[in-house]
Amino acid sequence: MSDLPHLVQVAVHAPVHSGLGDLLSYASAAPLPPGTLVRVPLGAREVLGVVWDAADAPPAPGVELRAVAGVLEGLAPLDAHWRRLVAFTARYYQRSLGEVALAALPPQLRSLSTEQIARRLRRSSPAPEAAAETIENVVLSAEQESSRAKISSEPGPFLLFGSTGSGKTEVYLRCVQEALAAAPDAQALVMVPEINLTPQLEERFRARFAPHFGAAAVVALHSGMTHAQRLSSWLAAHAGRARIVLGTRMAVFASLPGLRLIVVDEEHDPSYKQQEGARYSARDLALWRGRAQGAKVILGSATPSLESWHASRPATPEDPAGGRYLRLHMPSRIGAGALPRVRRVDMNQQPRRSVLSPPLLAAIAERVARGEQSMLLLNRRGYAPVLHCADCDWKSDCPHCSAHQVFHKLDRTLRCHHCGTTQRVPRACPACGSLDIVPIGRGTEQLEEQLTQLLAPVLRPDGTPARVVRIDADSTRAKGALQSQLAQVHAGEVDVLVGTQMIAKGHDFRRITLVAAVQPDGALFSSDFRAPERLFALLMQAAGRAGRDAAYMAAQGTPCEMWVQTSHPHHPVFEALKRHDYPAFAAQQLQERAAAGLPPFSFQALVRADARTQEVAQGFLRAASEAAQTLPELAQVTLYPPVPLAIQRVANVERAQMLLESPHRTALQRFLAAWQPLLHATRADPAHKGLIRWLIDVDPLAI
Ligand code: ADP
Ligand code: ZN
Ligand code: ZN
């Protein structure tokens, strides 16, 4: 040991329940500063680890001291900001430090040898000299300019509440530019929900900044990239060569030593919440990181999450807790374009079982004849959600899940969208042999088929037939399929676009004059209290795809329209949509939430348990709940009884959950921290050996 005089604490991803602490102690020949990336032996393997501040957590006692196997040379240590972010995430979301730290690093850092990484580093080019070129700017609208000025002069965080097409992206571009100009090493992080859906955004950032800072200054970071690309982007950000990182939720963990600004576009989008491992909210972490690292944070949306909306209510003498975020309002569309007129079709007055009501069909046909585009939204892929036998009531249930198998007509399959089980469509009822098996309900495939038939007699201005294209998870499975389908729409080769919510998000379509929600009612009566919020956001986003090009709209002279087919035309969601009135909708929802004590007026966590039987899953939760009764930290926390999940069984696994609620975030946090060891102990009790797994979801999005 005399030649290895230094003791270092290393965060590694040790297997869960291995009994090892968060940090492991190793011996090292040289003192290694915190943040150094190392390779260390763990059992029979050698794994990546991060040297941690010894003061952050005591080492696990009684572990034999082994030597650090190697240091990743040439990589600057991860800075204290990054380590604090990781430590906070682990604590807040109740995961181990090592798991969060290692998951936050690009996968290739784990798999490549130190030599291979050294080679990558040598290959990556040095920082390019900034070109002298000045950046060409469009003239901001008055609303944009006022937002920009506020962001420039106030500390934030900001909620940029701007209508679709109000020019939020232009404000982001300008604020990024300003942040980067402040210092030669300044960096900005721009997050979007799903980058594959918005290749235009990346183009806009590149076009704006590459001429000034060099092509290498803008990098992307998302799961659609290869591991090699991700490593390369990560290294560029870590070394400060990349000035702008554009990414999805994972990018919140990028190492950005010069971080000055974080933008979270479409901040309400549920995809900012990670749904496995550490179930973090990238939006919430962005706010935390911004505060901790002294970077400004801009949240942007046309339909903010009710949490952000509530946090940005103005402070008043009666309500001094308001004003945590500064709300910036941009109600007008660029070019004075109008938001679409909302038309509700009362489906109670329409012929029964019609997918498309006659007036909507006529409106679509009219657009086709004028050479304009329409977009139809139906949030269900496949042909029909279930096959049904009229004689014996057989349904196409998945044998492994408490869900139906969906009928896909194009490839004649029945597919479970939960576990993936696929089988051929039976000719006759598997239960009674009847040939009278029929699809019930409708999906995008059926909508596409019927629309194609119904529009067959309608011709475009050049005398050619109407073209219908469907975009959903099925049509875009092949690599590049989504991009080419979107390109078709942009090129005007499509008259009617049919799809799931995939088509509602972010796209800057120029020639769409009609958008329709074919069957949105399902979400109105969901048991999930966030369902109306999500539906409203989706419909507003969808509406935002229509009439984006004011000059085109003026030339065509057609009013742009958003159609909603519903059996509840006077539901508050549709009343607010009709007026494009997000504030009214939010006020109504917040009133309901306040009365029911739901977020943002309370804080929640879920404990989930999976087992072969409901009894075992719920038994574990009940035992954990009993154990919790001994904790003084339970005082301000309500623990509800275990219940099965809405889809109780998936892939033969029974799922149950238990809700926790508290009026205080810190009280909930303190309770979870105190309870965590008891959960582990309950798990270890042989009475619960049938349990497959359990997990905690803090600030869950779906209850
Ligand atoms: P949002 O992100 O709010 O939906 P965008 O930033 O995409 O809006 O702006 C909508 C359209 O208006 C885009 O085509 C954009 O290029 C254009 N635009 C934005 N700001 C301006 C401006 N100040 N002057 C002219 N065009 C603008
Ligand atoms: Zn039958
Ligand atoms: Zn299934």
Side-chain angles (χ1 to χ4, degrees), residues 443-486:
T444 47
E445 274 186 15
Q446 191 176 157
L447 185 57
E448 178 192 18
E449 180 190 273
Q450 299 195 343
L451 207 53
T452 306
Q453 285 165 7
L454 292 167
L455 291 177
V458 182
L459 299 180
R460 301 159 28 84
D462 63 3
T464 57
R467 296 152 308 181
V468 180
V469 158
R470 170 174 54 90
I471 297 187
D472 57 24
D474 296 315
S475 78
T476 56
R477 220 171 284 278
K479 199 170 161 52
L482 175 63
Q483 305 316 348
S484 74
Q485 287 179 331
L486 289 176

Side-chain angles (χ1 to χ4, degrees), residues 363-379:
I364 296 169
E366 199 183 298
R367 311 281 158 152
V368 172
R370 301 167 62 98
E372 299 169 9
Q373 295 177 316
S374 303
M375 182 176 112
L376 270 62
L377 201 67
L378 178 60
N379 238 350

Side-chain angles (χ1 to χ4, degrees), residues 327-339:
R327 193 185 287 172
L328 307 168
H329 194 189
M330 302 204 302
S332 317
R333 279 189 143 181
I334 291 293
L339 284 165

Side-chain angles (χ1 to χ4, degrees), residues 138-141 144 162-170 204 334 508 510 548:
V138 293
V139 178
L140 294 184
S141 71
Q144 286 174 320
S163 305
T164 49
S166 63
K168 293 186 290 297
T169 311
E170 188 59 44
R204 269 170 87 177
I334 291 293
D508 196 9
R510 309 306 286 178
R548 292 181 70 81

Side-chain angles (χ1 to χ4, degrees), residues 310-588:
H310 187 61
S312 68
R313 72 196 185 280
T316 60
E318 303 80 57
D319 184 12
R324 279 195 294 127
Y325 310 164
L326 184 60
R327 193 185 287 172
L328 307 168
H329 194 189
M330 302 204 302
S332 317
R333 279 189 143 181
I334 291 293
L339 284 165
R341 175 166 165 230
V342 175
R343 309 195 51 174
R344 292 163 292 181
V345 182
D346 185 350
M347 294 307 273
N348 299 306
Q349 312 293 323
Q350 300 299 321
R352 258 175 60 80
R353 300 182 60 84
S354 61
V355 186
L356 292 175
S357 56
L360 174 56
L361 185 64
I364 296 169
E366 199 183 298
R367 311 281 158 152
V368 172
R370 301 167 62 98
E372 299 169 9
Q373 295 177 316
S374 303
M375 182 176 112
L376 270 62
L377 201 67
L378 178 60
N379 238 350
R380 209 178 242 167
R381 62 195 172 84
Y383 191 86
V386 58
L387 273 188
H388 178 244
C389 170
D391 286 333
C392 77
D393 210 27
W394 171 86
K395 288 195 183 74
S396 57
D397 290 330
C398 175
H400 312 298
C401 306
S402 43
H404 299 309
Q405 288 187 323
V406 175
F407 173 39
H408 289 254
K409 191 175 178 184
L410 290 176
D411 58 3
R412 306 290 308 167
T413 57
L414 288 176
R415 272 191 250 157
C416 175
H417 289 182
H418 300 280
C419 72
T421 300
T422 300
Q423 60 193 69
R424 302 281 305 160
V425 172
R427 285 181 189 288
C429 170
C432 76
S434 164
L435 292 178
D436 196 6
I437 47 175
V438 289
I440 306 275
R442 54 193 69 96
T444 47
E445 274 186 15
Q446 191 176 157
L447 185 57
E448 178 192 18
E449 180 190 273
Q450 299 195 343
L451 207 53
T452 306
Q453 285 165 7
L454 292 167
L455 291 177
V458 182
L459 299 180
R460 301 159 28 84
D462 63 3
T464 57
R467 296 152 308 181
V468 180
V469 158
R470 170 174 54 90
I471 297 187
D472 57 24
D474 296 315
S475 78
T476 56
R477 220 171 284 278
K479 199 170 161 52
L482 175 63
Q483 305 316 348
S484 74
Q485 287 179 331
L486 289 176
Q488 270 186 302
V489 182
H490 288 296
E493 293 160 11
V494 172
D495 303 299
V496 184
L497 174 60
V498 171
T500 52
Q501 58 176 353
M502 218 181 216
I503 57 175
K505 290 188 180 180
H507 308 288
D508 196 9
F509 297 126
R510 309 306 286 178
R511 294 179 189 291
I512 287 184
T513 61
L514 182 150
V515 173
V518 174
Q519 199 178 358
D521 284 351
L524 294 179
F525 306 101
S526 161
S527 60
D528 186 343
F529 69 87
R530 283 193 176 85
E533 178 183 0
R534 256 186 237 127
L535 175 64
F536 188 79
L538 177 67
L539 295 179
M540 288 281 278
Q541 277 242 307
R545 299 315 106 205
R548 292 181 70 81
D549 189 335
Y552 176 74
M553 296 308 296
Q556 291 296 108
T558 328
C560 69
E561 291 176 341
M562 164 90 201
W563 288 62
V564 177
Q565 298 195 135
T566 172
S567 301
H568 307 275
H570 299 295
H571 193 282
V573 168
F574 301 134
E575 295 285 1
L577 180 73
K578 168 102 193 143
R579 299 188 306 270
H580 300 286
D581 194 347
Y582 171 82
F585 170 76
Q588 179 260 333

